[in-house]
Amino acid sequence: MNYSVDLDLSGATKLTNALMKQIPFAMAKALTLTAIQAQTDIVQAMMKVFDRPTPYTLNSTFVSPATKDRLESEVKLKDESYKGTPATKYLAPEVFGGTRNAKAGEVAMRRMLALAEGSFVVPGAGVKLDSYGNISAGTMTKILSAIHANPDYYANTTSKSRKRAIAAGRNLDYFVGRSPSGARRLGVWERDGRNLHPILVFIDRAPTYRERLAFYEITQETYNRVFNRLFNDALADAIATARL
């Protein structure tokens, strides 16, 4: 005896096609959520490896989301900034190791010829740092204003000329100090009455950093840990809401 059956698979085919269409959406959602989780993990790592990171640093990454037509999501360092130095410049040595780029204040002092080309600045023992361990923007502005008004000659400023300078709105509390021979600029000092405090120290080489923020390792670990779960959840949700 022969048995035969006629199957109508058109409904199953439509179901399969509808479900297949949901996979790119689920994949894009899972990739984007994975990148967002990686961004969170990077911020948590910053709080551990950096000494009192500023909100500017903690907010220095962004997520490029995936789409169904572009199944790729990324966590990146911001490469532009309305104020300050972009994260791609000042955090790169922390990610890859190596020497850091010149900061905005250093560039300004080089332009004023107060700082030699190729030299850099580190905080002196007398400078007051903010709650994040950095020289405040207000202090740096005062320093730049003062050395622009009076680059080297504070020690020779008379009381009368100092009063004239103050009346003219120039800040002479800071000055660039030189070596005894006058050949080298050593840094920026602050005069407090008869006392001098080293505020900035000039060094001939760029500060060198070891790799501290394992940016790429963190993102890879996050992907390995959460992507499959997020994809399965996203696919289940897509199937449940699909129009069949």
Side-chain angles (χ1 to χ4, degrees), residues 62-156:
F62 72 98
V63 169
S64 176
T67 67
K68 70 181 183 67
D69 298 317
R70 178 181 174 273
L71 294 175
E72 180 179 292
S73 186
E74 298 175 285
V75 185
K76 296 181 179 180
L77 293 174
K78 295 178 180 178
D79 58 2
E80 56 184 42
S81 174
Y82 294 109
K83 294 183 179 180
T85 305
T88 48
K89 290 187 177 180
Y90 81 90
L91 277 181
E94 308 286 359
V95 175
F96 302 108
T99 57
R100 72 163 172 80
N101 297 304
K103 297 180 179 180
E106 291 166 331
V107 173
M109 281 189 276
R110 291 176 185 176
R111 191 180 300 120
M112 297 174 188
L113 303 181
L115 181 67
E117 193 67 34
S119 292
F120 291 80
V121 167
V122 295
V127 69
K128 183 178 180 180
L129 303 177
D130 63 20
S131 59
Y132 301 107
N134 302 316
I135 300 174
S136 71
T139 298
M140 184 58 69
T141 298
K142 290 180 181 178
I143 291 171
L144 294 176
S145 175
I147 63 178
H148 180 70
N150 192 49
D152 295 301
Y153 304 110
Y154 185 94
N156 297 325

Side-chain angles (χ1 to χ4, degrees), residues 8 44 90 102 118-119 173 175 231 239:
D8 182 3
Q44 291 177 346
Y90 81 90
S119 292
D173 291 336
F175 67 96
F231 174 68
I239 291 173

